[in-house]
Amino acid sequence: MSGTQFILFLVTSLVVIVTPGQDMILVMSRSLARGSSAGVATAGGISAGLLGHTALAALGLGSLLMASATLFVVLKLVGAAYLVYLGVRLLRTRAAALELSEAGTASLAKLFAEGALSNLSNPKVTIFYLAFLPQFVPGDAQHPTLLIVLLGVAFSLLTFAVKGLVGYSSGALSAWLRARPTALTRVYRMSGAIMVGLGVKLAFDRRP
């Protein structure tokens, strides 16, 4: 893989990563709700989830999703249901609950796990990886599987760098918002409504 190809990979990856989507909204909502550490933890979980997709792409298991429409739909519905679940939890948030202190170590671990699960349960990410990563693997590569793994890891690290920064920056607003429970309640509910909407869209979008 030439230096030019790698630069093209990085530029293309950045365009994909900064595009607002399910993961970005999850990071921002967690950050605004619980502070910078929560946003960064969620971004870390999402990046870890991408490593799982990298393994699937490298092992060729992602092709099963392309070959089996039923499996694709099942995984898509699981991902959609989980997204709706997260959204409903935000919609049900009460002002009194916003007076709690920032998440501790255990809570951050849970946020990390939720970020990873949210990403892993989205079959479109697997399909994307299966279609995207091989585009930057030369036909004469001696170790194509290893190269796919390296590209997947690079994409994951780049995702954490971008979304971790978004989570940290968004978290800077949380202190101001937490001092205003009514405003923060509206942020929770707006984020929850968006997540539910994305989940519903994902459930009814049957395109690969």
Side-chain angles (χ1 to χ4, degrees), residues 84-106:
V84 170
Y85 165 73
L86 293 178
V88 170
R89 285 181 58 187
L90 287 174
L91 287 171
R92 297 181 61 186
T93 300
R94 297 180 181 276
L98 304 180
E99 298 175 1
L100 298 174
S101 59
E102 279 194 17
T105 302

Side-chain angles (χ1 to χ4, degrees), residues 6 11 21 32 44 50 60 84 98 107-108 136 154 162 180 186 207:
F6 186 65
V11 172
L32 289 171
L50 289 174
V84 170
L98 304 180
S107 295
L108 290 179
F136 299 92
V162 172
R180 298 163 177 78
R186 291 173 181 170
R207 295 172 299 176

Side-chain angles (χ1 to χ4, degrees), residues 41 103-115:
T105 302
S107 295
L108 290 179
K110 182 178 180 180
L111 292 173
F112 181 93
E114 287 183 346

Side-chain angles (χ1 to χ4, degrees), residues 185-198:
T185 299
R186 291 173 181 170
V187 171
Y188 266 94
R189 292 176 179 172
M190 181 175 66
S191 297
I194 293 174
M195 284 192 194
V196 171
L198 286 173

Side-chain angles (χ1 to χ4, degrees), residues 1-45:
M1 185 179 188
S2 67
T4 301
Q5 286 178 309
F6 186 65
I7 291 175
L8 179 60
F9 167 76
L10 291 179
V11 172
T12 306
S13 296
L14 277 174
V15 171
V16 173
I17 293 168
V18 300
T19 301
Q22 170 182 330
D23 290 340
M24 188 71 80
I25 290 174
L26 184 60
V27 169
M28 293 183 68
S29 65
R30 288 291 183 263
S31 181
L32 289 171
R34 301 192 181 185
S36 299
S37 57
V40 173
T42 302

